[in-house]
Amino acid sequence: MSETNLLKLNINDKNFSKIRDIRKNVFTDELGILESELFDEYDEICDHFIIFDGKHVVGAVRFVIVKPDIKLERMAILKEFRTKNHGKDCISQSREYYQSKNYSKMFLDSIYFVRNFYKKCGFIEEGEIFQRVGIDHIRMSLTL
Ligand SMILES: CC(C)(COP(=O)(O)OP(=O)(O)OC[C@H]1O[C@@H](n2cnc3c(N)ncnc32)[C@H](O)[C@@H]1OP(=O)(O)O)[C@@H](O)C(=O)NCCC(=O)NCCS
């Protein structure tokens, strides 16, 4: 099984261009989400992580502080690196990180057809299905 490492950075880091490439590749080219939806004002203030396997950048994710909770957003693993546990390892490492920072809950709005991935990471569904960027979503949460 390949390793999963997280590198924390902010929007001014030179490596932020890798996050731009990953979001465009996964969310626009693959899922058909408009490029104008990929970035917003939270990118200026949230925590960003690049996910790498020791050799390649394989994905990215961001976390927005919604005190006392933390919201996971823009989770993306590049297609060629999927089903190698990078997504699950990223969530378990970030869970430990935010636990150590005294957050009580991690939550997210999952694309509905991806929800079983988050269930395997321990999240539970909350509430009703809703639409965002033309795609069904559901809120999910994980106690830290
Ligand atoms: C969803 C995503 C992040 C999963 O990443 P990944 O690294 O391939 O997932 P992992 O290898 O860590 O998988 C962990 C478990 O979830 C399962 N799983 C992975 N993707 C899944 C999916 N789309 N649906 C259901 N289960 C999934 C795996 O089979 C594995 O199960 P196991 O523990 O029983 O073996 C990745 O497929 C992705 O980036 N998809 C496109 C973007 C996206 O939809 N992002 C989420 C936005 S809410």
Side-chain angles (χ1 to χ4, degrees), residues 2-13:
S2 46
E3 61 184 282
T4 304
N5 304 292
L6 298 189
L7 173 68
K8 189 163 178 272
L9 69 161
N10 67 44
I11 197 165
N12 298 315
D13 193 292

Side-chain angles (χ1 to χ4, degrees), residues 75-92:
M75 173 90 204
I77 302 290
L78 294 168
K79 212 169 201 171
E80 62 266 41
F81 298 106
R82 288 190 194 150
T83 63
K84 295 174 188 292
N85 265 4
H86 293 307
K88 201 172 178 178
D89 288 347
C90 165
I91 287 180
S92 93

